[in-house]
Amino acid sequence: MPLARGLPSLKGRVEAKAPDCRKAGGMMTRFTRYPVSTSASTHRQRGTVRKAFSLIELIVGIAIISVLMAIALPAVQAIREASRNSSCKNHLRQMSLGILQHESKTGYILTGGWSPLWLGVAERTADGRQPGGWTYNILPYIEELGLHGSVEGVTSATAESAYQALAVANVPMFNCPSRRHVNPLPIDMTSLQSSTSGSVVETSSGTNVMFAGLNSGGGNGGGNGGGSGGGNTYFRTAVNLQVSLSEATRTDYAANGGSYGVCFSPKVVRKYGHVDSQQKVLIGHMPGNDPDKCTEIVISWNAFTSNHGHAGHLHHDLDRVGGCPNKPSCTNPIDSSIYTPSTVADGDLWYSSTTMERLELADSGIPDLQDGVITRMGRIASAKVLDGMGNVYLLGEKYVAADHYETGQDPGDAGVLYSGYSSSNIRWGSEPPKPDTAGEFHNNSYGSAHARGFNMAFGDGRIETFGFDIDPAVHRALAGRANGSLPVID
């Protein structure tokens, strides 16, 4: 018999094999294997496959995200602007407290300096003998004593570098982050040049004083270039040194020069009575209070205030000393008319003169007739602020053309940060405040880069925000220290 017939087949042996068992805890456990359904496995695999978005679903998703971003972005921007505005207010608060600290220490509000072409002299205090502006004089009171003293003891060999370093110094407190950051800008004095050259004025004591216009060579051999192609501008400094500067930082804040501005009513002059002077003054005659009919005439103070000749103009309250309101004579920065003493000695003579004598100056003494709290070549005691320090502007945000933040070519923003009395660091309440606007120059106005208004510091240190629609009469009143009474200059 063949061997295959005598042995069980392989199939039979497999089928006859005992069921698979395991020992578990001493017991035999039987495991039964069940076949896996092919269809169930397939369904489970299909359930793990992610379905792609359709085109419509993508469009809807993108639209939802865009709407959410459109809602969130203004809110984020508003939060950022609120933070920047808070910084601007804080800067105003710190500077106003610095000015008040000086007043508490000396009894006087610090001076506004001499002119746009004079820089600070570290050896002099912040009275009328200090050529530098309030921005320089406040440095020791805002924790910048070292910067204030950086030009102390300069010589002909060190003045240029010392004053250039001062001019470009980074002091964030002078800038509002809503508008710009602290960066040195070109100095373009062509926008400030006066049409009148320098002249010699004889004071009542018989001493001749030289006053140099911004576009003149200066009384002591210096010169003023400037502009995009005119080279550097020469500034006067300590011990009659002149330095040439090409760039400087700016300030976004201005001290309160008063309610008059460059041009004002004859009422201001009427308080002085007759002025026996042949010094010429520009008058804007405005019949019927119609600016379109205003004509400008040049007459002497004597003729303007006498009882004959042109005396009628003194009693024409609608006329304007300084020119017609709708002409450049009143809208240009005050830098265009201010004259500069050519030496420290000339400036000291000027400082010691009376208000009546200052009407003899080449700029007709107009800046010295202002009724603010920061004055040219003078200082005001808080007791002379008859309206009360808490009712008068101390300083605030100034207007700058929106397209000239970084050019330095706005005429009201062209001066060096630390220079003397200038529209770059002084403003008046004579013109309504403006929001920064591209293509518009408002050289003597307050304003800001904020959408809802501008910030002002008062003489008691508080900060207030006003809308640009503030009543012009209220704005003017808050800028005047004595509600129309006679300005007193120390």
Side-chain angles (χ1 to χ4, degrees):
M1 180 182 197
L3 180 61
R5 292 182 181 179
L7 295 176
S9 65
L10 180 60
K11 178 179 180 182
R13 285 193 308 224
V14 173
E15 291 176 348
K17 187 177 180 181
D20 187 15
C21 297
R22 300 286 190 273
K23 284 186 179 181
M27 297 178 63
M28 298 296 293
T29 304
R30 186 171 188 168
F31 292 88
T32 305
R33 297 179 178 177
Y34 297 95
V36 178
S37 171
T38 304
S39 61
S41 176
T42 303
H43 288 311
R44 190 159 54 243
Q45 292 175 0
R46 288 178 179 176
T48 61
V49 176
R50 298 185 64 181
K51 187 178 179 181
F53 289 111
S54 68
L55 179 60
I56 295 178
E57 288 173 329
L58 287 173
I59 293 175
V60 171
I62 293 173
I64 293 173
I65 294 173
S66 299
V67 171
L68 292 176
M69 290 182 63
I71 295 173
L73 188 58
V76 172
Q77 291 176 336
I79 293 172
R80 289 178 176 175
E81 168 56 18
S83 176
R84 291 191 290 261
N85 190 21
S86 178
S87 295
C88 297
K89 290 181 179 180
N90 186 48
H91 293 170
L92 273 175
R93 182 175 293 105
Q94 292 182 65
M95 288 188 291
S96 63
L97 293 177
I99 294 175
L100 294 177
Q101 184 180 354
H102 175 273
E103 191 277 333
S104 176
K105 178 181 178 181
T106 65
Y108 293 90
I109 301 171
L110 46 76
T111 184
W114 290 4
S115 82
L117 291 184
W118 271 93
L119 301 178
V121 176
E123 290 80 3
R124 295 194 167 201
T125 59
D127 61 10
R129 297 175 63 252
Q130 170 60 252
W134 69 269
T135 43
Y136 176 75
N137 297 312
I138 200 178
L139 289 175
Y141 300 95
I142 58 172
E143 300 182 356
E144 294 290 348
L145 181 61
L147 187 59
H148 181 275
S150 64
V151 293
E152 184 175 0
V154 296
T155 65
S156 57
T158 62
E160 192 89 21
S161 59
Y163 277 99
Q164 182 64 72
L166 173 67
V168 300
N170 184 332
V171 181
M173 191 177 298
F174 288 116
N175 287 96
C176 175
S178 292
R179 175 178 287 157
R180 57 189 171 185
H181 298 289
V182 183
N183 291 309
L185 305 178
I187 299 174
D188 186 357
M189 300 300 283
T190 55
S191 59
L192 306 180
Q193 288 179 352
S194 170
S195 59
T196 309
S197 61
S199 59
V200 176
V201 176
E202 182 177 351
T203 66
S204 58
S205 62
T207 304
N208 289 336
V209 179
M210 176 68 192
F211 295 91
L214 289 175
N215 65 340
S216 74
N220 60 342
N224 295 322
S228 57
N232 297 351
T233 301
Y234 288 87
F235 292 83
R236 292 164 172 80
T237 61
V239 294
N240 301 324
L241 294 172
Q242 291 192 105
V243 297
S244 174
L245 303 180
S246 59
E247 60 179 10
T249 51
R250 305 294 201 270
T251 176
D252 289 324
Y253 306 100
N256 174 27
S259 62
Y260 305 151
V262 178
C263 300
F264 44 83
S265 169
K267 292 180 181 180
V268 177
V269 185
R270 194 181 303 161
K271 300 165 187 174
Y272 293 92
H274 177 60
V275 181
D276 188 15
S277 168
Q278 295 303 313
Q279 171 62 32
K280 302 295 182 180
V281 61
L282 181 66
I283 303 295
H285 178 52
M286 193 161 39
N289 198 27
D290 186 353
D292 294 332
K293 296 181 180 179
C294 184
T295 57
E296 294 185 337
I297 59 175
V298 179
I299 59 177
S300 68
W301 278 119
N302 189 348
F304 181 73
T305 60
S306 68
N307 292 321
H308 56 81
H310 295 280
H313 290 291
L314 182 62
H315 300 282
H316 291 172
D317 292 340
L318 303 181
D319 288 358
R320 288 291 179 269
V321 176
C324 292
N326 59 345
K327 294 187 178 181
S329 48
C330 288
T331 58
N332 279 341
I334 203 166
D335 309 53
S336 300
S337 58
I338 285 183
Y339 278 72
T340 296
S342 61
T343 65
V344 171
D346 282 350
D348 287 343
L349 285 173
W350 183 4
Y351 163 69
S352 62
S353 63
T354 66
T355 301
M356 288 288 287
E357 289 176 329
R358 294 185 184 188
L359 300 182
E360 298 270 5
L361 303 180
D363 53 22
S364 304
I366 287 178
D368 300 308
L369 297 175
Q370 305 297 332
D371 63 341
V373 295
I374 303 291
T375 63
R376 175 178 78 156
M377 197 169 275
R379 59 180 184 175
I380 300 296
S382 57
K384 300 298 183 181
V385 183
L386 303 184
D387 289 347
M389 291 288 287
N391 299 316
V392 177
Y393 293 149
L394 187 60
L395 67 159
E397 295 179 299
K398 73 177 188 182
Y399 175 93
V400 178
D403 53 342
H404 286 289
Y405 289 165
E406 304 296 337
T407 69
Q409 294 180 354
D410 182 328
D413 190 49
V416 176
L417 170 60
Y418 304 108
S419 67
Y421 200 87
S422 163
S423 287
S424 293
N425 55 33
I426 304 285
R427 293 293 165 101
W428 298 265
S430 55
E431 298 180 13
K434 309 283 186 182
D436 291 354
T437 305
E440 294 184 13
F441 295 139
H442 300 285
N443 310 301
N444 304 310
S445 298
Y446 291 100
S448 78
H450 311 302
R452 297 185 178 180
F454 64 107
N455 300 310
M456 299 295 295
F458 281 77
D460 58 359
R462 79 180 192 278
I463 309 299
E464 298 282 354
T465 301
F466 296 96
F468 296 111
D469 58 350
I470 182 175
D471 187 322
V474 172
H475 184 55
R476 286 194 299 272
L478 291 174
R481 70 173 181 266
N483 198 25
S485 57
L486 182 66
V488 179
I489 299 177
D490 176 47

